[in-house]
Amino acid sequence: LCFVLIPSLGIVGAAIATLVTFMLLGVFGHVLASKLVGARFEHGRMAALLALVLAVMGATLWIDKALSRDHAAMFTPVSGLKALIFGAVCVFVWRVLLGPDEREQCVAKVRAKLGR
């Protein structure tokens, strides 16, 4: 795929080839895990998480393009907006996508790491 897309599209072709390759790896991994191991996937939650990731990616790209004037500075007022979006995403994942038992497991793992 790289040999076809990079000569004609350059860096965009490399990005497209990488995207397609990772999508295929994900699909094949999903199929193999289902067939060989019998793993069950919650497709609704996976779709919600994918939609969330795409929305956050789109929002941060828009913020960079529309609001950020100083691309050289490491921390700008736009960084605060991005941190707020990140916090909102974390809260959404914690409250909506994770079930009570999964939240308990996360808390237990963090406590174990902190030595509590």
Side-chain angles (χ1 to χ4, degrees), residues 87-116:
V89 167
C90 289
V91 168
F92 177 79
V93 168
W94 184 260
R95 300 290 295 157
V96 177
L97 293 181
L98 294 179
D101 56 330
E102 293 167 320
R103 288 193 294 265
E104 286 178 22
Q105 289 176 359
C106 289
V107 169
K109 286 182 182 182
V110 169
R111 285 185 177 155
K113 291 281 184 187
L114 296 175
R116 292 184 182 176

Side-chain angles (χ1 to χ4, degrees), residues 14-29:
I16 292 170
T18 302
L19 175 68
V20 170
T21 301
F22 275 98
M23 287 174 64
L24 289 174
L25 282 171
V27 168
F28 289 139

Side-chain angles (χ1 to χ4, degrees), residues 1-2 4-7 9-22:
L1 199 54
C2 287
V4 174
L5 293 177
I6 291 175
L9 298 175
I11 195 166
V12 173
I16 292 170
T18 302
L19 175 68
V20 170
T21 301
F22 275 98

Side-chain angles (χ1 to χ4, degrees), residues 18-101:
T18 302
L19 175 68
V20 170
T21 301
F22 275 98
M23 287 174 64
L24 289 174
L25 282 171
V27 168
F28 289 139
H30 178 82
V31 170
L32 285 174
S34 297
K35 301 266 187 208
L36 295 177
V37 184
R40 304 248 183 242
F41 296 96
E42 298 179 33
H43 294 100
R45 284 175 50 172
M46 291 170 61
L49 191 56
L50 176 62
L52 180 66
V53 166
L54 291 175
V56 169
M57 182 183 70
T60 55
L61 288 174
W62 176 80
I63 288 169
D64 279 344
K65 184 144 179 98
L67 301 178
S68 183
R69 303 281 184 252
D70 184 12
H71 295 288
M74 186 165 182
F75 296 104
T76 64
V78 174
S79 300
L81 183 57
K82 289 182 183 180
L84 185 65
I85 291 172
F86 178 73
V89 167
C90 289
V91 168
F92 177 79
V93 168
W94 184 260
R95 300 290 295 157
V96 177
L97 293 181
L98 294 179
D101 56 330

